[in-house]
Amino acid sequence: MEALIKPELGLTIWTIVCFVLLVLLLSKTAWKPLLQAVAERERAIKNDRESAETARAEAEKVKAELDARLAQLRTEIQARMGEALQTAEREKELLLTEARKSAASIVEFARKEIEAQKLEAVRELKNKVAELSLLTAEKVLMKNLDHRANTELSARYLAQVEKERPDLKMSA
Amino acid sequence: MGLKEILEHHIVDHIWSWLYFGPLKLPVSKHLLMMGLASLILLVALPLLIRSRSAALAPFRAMLEMVVLFLRDEVVVPNLGRKGAAYLGYFSTLFFFILTMNLLGMVPFGATATGNLAVTAGLAATTFLLINFAGIKEQGLFSYLAHIVPKGVPAWLYPLLFPMELIGLVIKAFALCIRLFANMIAGHIVILSFIGFIFIFGSINAALGLGVAPVSVLLVLFILLLELFVAFLQAYIFTFLTAIFTGAAMHPH
């Protein structure tokens, strides 16, 4: 059994030679391509992750921008709407006052017109009445030249006439 | 044929002839054949496996890759540091070489080359060389020798500790050699002993021998599975300890 624990030096040399050769050969033929493949894959994965991350950051940036724009638009819309309401209110007030004013002026103008017409009518009537009275007086005078009595008479007649026809009253 | 002969037949190397290279007398033996076979398998199978793009081989490629990456990320780099990745080829080869030789010992008609003290001594010698080479390359010869003794040791202890640490370096490699050898051979001896039980009890009484046989076979099966596990474990331990020792030589803290 001593063969079990008596190392054969020649085999040790074989082992060392064999192992060293194996290390040199396998490093070239096996481990290098393996590690290259692994590194390539790791790089590809890293690239993918980086591009995904940049895409996400981009998307987030765009979203933030859109949100900001949206908020801005919302405030703008509110401001515009408030403004529009105010303008409408003012416009309404303006229109109303304008309308009132023009209505009042129309009324005033109509009243003045009526007044003027009335005065005109009165003056005409007065002239006619005076003419009539003169003609009447002339006739009366022709008949009765008692001036004083006639004047009194005419005044009385006139008063009588005025009393009978109040619409011809001249003290309007 | 006694148990001794059986054991010797199954465990001890068979030298068929001798080769002479000047003063060197090299044996041609069964274990050398197994070692050559393991080398051939590795040299042919690994490059083919790595280069192949076939989908059927993809799982094996992935396994191989996982083992190598595990060695890199969990064994080599933590112990040797970033620069240690350059030594990955050595460690991967060491692991797969030992593993293949261990597993060849479990194949019918195979023999366990790693169950030979000469073979493990050869592996331990390369590890010893690697430890010193890496240490000297990393620190320079003078610094390496100066750092062999741990820091913080009083000056007067140096004359005592320096030879001890030098011996320690050799002992580390020696322990590696013995550990692998003993682990690989122990399983075989136990298996042979269990099978031997059948004949020992059978020589007392044939019925007794038959009765013992199923128990023995079950135990043998158990030890075989254990050996399968140990084949992987010892390959890993040898590699891992080599990494630890090399790391300690490179970074003496």
Side-chain angles (χ1 to χ4, degrees), chain B residues 18 31-32 41-42 54 63 90 115 134 144 161-162 166 174-175 187 207 219 221 224 248:
Chain B
W18 296 91
H31 283 168
L32 178 62
I41 289 171
L42 290 180
S54 109
M63 272 160 63
Y90 181 94
Y144 174 64
L161 275 181
F162 190 74
L166 276 183
F174 187 69
L219 283 171
L221 202 61
L224 263 175

Side-chain angles (χ1 to χ4, degrees), chain A residues 35-53:
Chain A
L35 288 176
Q36 264 171 1
V38 168
E40 217 162 274
R41 210 178 45 217
E42 275 170 0
R43 201 168 47 238
I45 288 169
K46 209 178 123 203
N47 275 355
D48 281 359
R49 216 182 53 198
E50 266 170 15
S51 65
E53 260 165 22

Side-chain angles (χ1 to χ4, degrees), chain A residues 7-70:
Chain A
E8 174 56 52
L9 189 68
L11 199 56
T12 305
I13 293 167
W14 273 128
T15 309
I16 294 172
V17 170
C18 191
F19 179 63
V20 169
L21 278 178
L22 210 55
V23 168
L24 294 178
L25 286 175
L26 281 183
S27 290
K28 266 223 169 55
T29 59
W31 312 131
K32 214 170 125 191
L34 181 87
L35 288 176
Q36 264 171 1
V38 168
E40 217 162 274
R41 210 178 45 217
E42 275 170 0
R43 201 168 47 238
I45 288 169
K46 209 178 123 203
N47 275 355
D48 281 359
R49 216 182 53 198
E50 266 170 15
S51 65
E53 260 165 22
T54 50
R56 209 181 79 177
E58 194 84 3
E60 266 169 15
K61 212 174 74 188
V62 167
K63 188 176 170 280
E65 250 168 47
L66 283 178
D67 278 349
R69 276 275 296 281
L70 208 66

Side-chain angles (χ1 to χ4, degrees), chain B residues 27 49 66 116 128 145 175 183 193 205 235 237:
Chain B
L49 194 58
M66 271 164 70
N116 187 323
F128 179 77
L145 287 176
N183 271 287
S193 307
N205 185 326
I237 286 180

